[in-house]
Amino acid sequence: MTTRPAPGNPWLSKTAVNGALLLAVVYMLFPLIWLVTAATKDTGGLLSGNAFSFQGFNLGENLSGLASYGDGVYFRWYGNSLLYAGVGAVLCSLICVAAGYAFDKYEFRGKEKLFGLVLLGVLVPTTALALPMYLLASKIGIVNTYWSVLIPVLVNPFGVYLARVFSAGYIPNEALEAARIDGAGELRTFWSIGLPMVMPGFVTVFLFQFTAIWNNFFLPLVMLSDRDLFPLSLGLYSWNTNTHAEPSFYPLVVTGSLLAVIPLIVAFVSLQRHWKAGLTAGSVK
């Protein structure tokens, strides 16, 4: 006769799980909390190491200094980052979804071998490609232009792989066949049937690529020398290199970093409904 082991205390298990989740939340939010409080400090408050208090609230002056320094170059960098990340992420997501759709729904010679090359591209770090891309950009004369940053970010091998997975799970072949029977061409079928069905995959690729481009540093560093073309990452870095000689740059860097987080938060919060819609799509099929 075997005896069943006594069940554990459910309250203890729940406390352990909630405690682990709380520690994870604190770990993730700690840098953001520091950034919010530090952005309210002047140079003396930052250098004194008392960044977590709200004494000496100086956020208004920091924002004013950020807007006026260098004839407002910070907001030019902000616009550049929105251009690089917004346009680049939308076009890259569309290319990735179209490529993943083609790999999933069409049969052509060498398809799996070509897809293997795409997967091989996932293993290559983007920083290793920056110098070869610079040489190519120099050859066609687009170095130190917007195109030198925009064109390389239009391709994402992982996005193509992810889009193929989403296409296989979200787009039934029967729907495509029905569209073709009704006389729709391949491009119309993809645009009107395939793309709306795989929208959660499009949003996923967009968010990944938007975040990657927004935080991209090495590619603009290699491609750009004109300060007016800098994205935020490179512009704030150039300011940060001056902090040792001129401590007055500290509030500009910290306040600028706080404002730089806002588009990422807005993008994730505003687009999460597409993920929720995608997760429940299978329940009505």
Side-chain angles (χ1 to χ4, degrees), residues 39-142:
T40 66
K41 301 295 179 185
D42 57 11
T43 304
L46 284 172
L47 295 179
S48 67
N50 193 23
F52 280 103
S53 72
F54 283 99
Q55 294 180 353
F57 193 84
N58 203 59
L59 181 60
E61 289 79 359
N62 291 345
L63 292 173
S64 176
L66 196 66
S68 61
Y69 184 83
D71 295 327
V73 68
Y74 172 82
F75 290 102
R76 183 174 183 86
W77 296 340
Y78 212 99
N80 292 340
S81 288
L82 289 174
L83 173 66
Y84 296 139
V87 175
V90 168
L91 293 179
C92 176
S93 301
L94 189 58
I95 292 171
C96 289
V97 168
Y101 173 88
F103 275 117
D104 176 48
K105 300 305 180 186
Y106 297 128
E107 294 295 332
F108 51 89
R109 186 175 181 181
K111 182 178 81 169
E112 295 305 327
K113 292 181 180 179
L114 185 59
F115 190 68
L117 289 177
V118 173
L119 295 181
L120 187 63
V122 177
L123 304 178
V124 180
T126 55
T127 52
L129 300 175
L131 290 178
M133 285 190 292
Y134 171 80
L135 296 177
L136 291 172
S138 178
K139 214 169 191 61
I140 61 178
I142 62 171

Side-chain angles (χ1 to χ4, degrees), residues 235-259:
L236 290 175
Y237 169 78
S238 67
W239 279 357
N240 191 56
T241 57
N242 296 326
T243 53
H244 296 293
E246 297 184 46
S248 60
F249 274 97
Y250 276 115
L252 298 180
V253 173
V254 173
T255 308
S257 300
L258 176 62
L259 296 184

Side-chain angles (χ1 to χ4, degrees), residues 117-285:
L117 289 177
V118 173
L119 295 181
L120 187 63
V122 177
L123 304 178
V124 180
T126 55
T127 52
L129 300 175
L131 290 178
M133 285 190 292
Y134 171 80
L135 296 177
L136 291 172
S138 178
K139 214 169 191 61
I140 61 178
I142 62 171
V143 170
N144 203 32
T145 66
Y146 288 110
W147 297 110
S148 63
V149 178
L150 270 175
I151 292 177
V153 301
L154 297 182
V155 179
N156 183 353
F158 179 73
V160 175
Y161 163 75
L162 200 61
R164 183 178 183 179
V165 173
F166 272 97
S167 177
Y170 282 84
I171 306 177
N173 293 327
E174 293 79 5
L176 303 182
E177 290 299 329
R180 295 184 183 114
I181 292 173
D182 289 340
E186 294 301 324
L187 184 59
R188 176 66 182 275
T189 300
F190 167 72
W191 190 259
S192 300
I193 304 297
L195 185 59
M197 284 185 170
V198 80
M199 188 55 66
F202 181 93
V203 172
T204 302
V205 176
F206 173 83
L207 288 176
F208 281 148
Q209 193 68 358
F210 184 88
T211 304
I213 300 173
W214 188 266
N215 295 325
N216 196 4
F217 172 76
F218 192 61
L219 180 65
L221 178 66
V222 170
M223 294 290 188
L224 303 176
S225 58
D226 185 354
R227 189 182 72 160
D228 289 339
L229 300 179
F230 284 1
L232 277 176
S233 57
L234 191 54
L236 290 175
Y237 169 78
S238 67
W239 279 357
N240 191 56
T241 57
N242 296 326
T243 53
H244 296 293
E246 297 184 46
S248 60
F249 274 97
Y250 276 115
L252 298 180
V253 173
V254 173
T255 308
S257 300
L258 176 62
L259 296 184
V261 176
I262 294 176
L264 297 177
I265 296 175
V266 171
F268 275 88
V269 171
S270 61
L271 294 176
Q272 66 176 343
R273 63 186 181 88
H274 292 283
W275 280 341
K276 292 178 181 179
L279 290 175
T280 58
S283 63
V284 297
K285 290 181 180 178

